[in-house]
Amino acid sequence: MVVGLETHIELSTQSKIFCGCAVNFGGDPNTNCCPVCVGLPGALPRLNRQVVRYGVMAGLATNCTVNPVSYLDRKNYVYPDLPKAYQISQYDTPLCENGYLELSGGKKVRIARIHIEEDAGKLVYDGDKLYVDYNRSGVPLIEIVTQPDFRSADQVKEYLEKLQMLMRYIGISDCKMQEGSLRCDVNISVRKSGETAMGIRTEIKNMNSFRFITRALAYETQRQIACLSNGQAVVRETRRYNEQTGETQSMRGKEEAQDYRFFREPDLPAVLVSPEEVEQLRDAMPELPDARVQRYCKDYGLAVEDACLLAKYRKLSDYFEQAAQGLKAPKTIANFILGPIFRSLTTEEQKEAGAPSISSQDLHELAAWVEEGKLQIGLAKTTLEQMLKTGKSLSVLLPAEQLGMMDEKELAALCRRAVEENPKAATDVKNGKEKAMGTLVGAVMRFSRGKADAQQVNHMLHDLLC
Ligand code: ZN
Ligand code: MN
């Protein structure tokens, strides 16, 4: 298979791309609308500058060149979700061009272009009625177009996951596929292995789940191979994936660029981006996941898989670095996070929010005590799990003054306390009932919060009672 992707990503701006209406998911139909975004005659658009900044950031994160001058164009077509009967997009000169995204095996997927454009409204079907909700009309999008560089569904999936991670990292979109803030059009053709000429392709529109993309690719590949094997030609067309049947179905013949009658948007000037602005945006971007993974491996001695998991969520990654700061073995922190803390953040949203119930200072403290030999690693883990379970802070669960090796005087005092508080067990031990010793040892262990040595306690209690 030969596959190229067009990915639409909704930007997390406050307002729409050409008017001041609010952008928010959900909301009652047609409540975030104005004359501009419902396309009333005479209403004039103004470009939201934040859309340009976010677009440039997307370009920088994907190794693109940013065009100092780009243009907005009208893409004309008639459909009820598009009230102006044209979409303002970018045609021949997009905001960013010629980038790439590197997959784990070192394969580079070339990115042809990134342009900014407006989203259309939403059609809601209800029996034989069709409703239109224009809340989404004018929501800013970037469209990221790759070259036909994918050769398997796995590569497509990895690319999309990485794109999603990057866009979330730089904070320009939440990229929630199920809410439609990341949607894909998949261009697919097949050819015999060894051939270099491209086959005739079809386009599958508006995919919004990894699972469906994988299934649609498998189905469409087989369908095209069957076509060619039977001596038929693949028809260049737009198809839709049917989630119920798992099949792709013909929607319409493919539009060519000429069908859209593209022309410059006369109501908006060219988009100018100075080299200074590009550098400002570059400086303001966080370190990206690939760079973090490399640094975690090199400076912290982490395994690649662990480093990837830690770098995947930006806020958790920041949290890891805060907690690991100044430690000789940041690996302890990595293990704390990848184990108990990851398990406590059960949903993808929680991992994305990256706010474990333990402060990074407490986590640092725990690992530091282990490093200084004040705390057994086992006890550190139990304490960590208790903190996660109860939400209590470290100073409550394990006060600092209780750390360190216990001296004999302290331990003897705890033994006496155990005897005082458990008179029956003490009498039993005196009378030779060794089993009762467990109660007393248990009490001392509790008083010492697990720091005492059980065998030593046993001896001491023996000396005290017998
Ligand atoms: Zn509006
Ligand atoms: Mn588009």
Side-chain angles (χ1 to χ4, degrees), residues 16 19-21 32-34 36-37:
K16 295 184 177 181
C19 61
C21 292
N32 294 320
C33 300
C34 73
V36 173
C37 56

Side-chain angles (χ1 to χ4, degrees), residues 209-282:
S209 110
F210 289 129
R211 198 160 37 110
F212 291 150
I213 290 173
T214 306
R215 288 186 192 166
L217 281 174
Y219 178 87
E220 183 61 12
T221 311
Q222 288 315 309
R223 189 191 68 85
Q224 290 189 12
I225 290 173
C227 252
L228 297 173
S229 309
N230 296 336
Q232 296 165 307
V234 172
V235 180
R236 177 129 160 73
E237 62 185 354
T238 301
R239 298 178 72 84
R240 115 161 30 98
Y241 178 69
N242 183 322
E243 295 170 9
Q244 268 77 47
T245 61
E247 295 171 355
T248 64
Q249 300 160 333
S250 179
M251 271 170 84
R252 54 174 189 254
K254 175 66 196 168
E255 304 85 351
E256 301 293 333
Q258 64 191 15
D259 297 326
Y260 289 120
R261 324 303 292 187
F262 279 102
F263 65 90
R264 287 269 183 272
E265 168 57 60
D267 290 336
L268 287 162
V271 180
L272 306 181
V273 184
S274 69
E276 291 76 28
E277 189 175 9
V278 173
E279 286 322 301
Q280 270 171 19
L281 290 167
R282 197 195 299 276

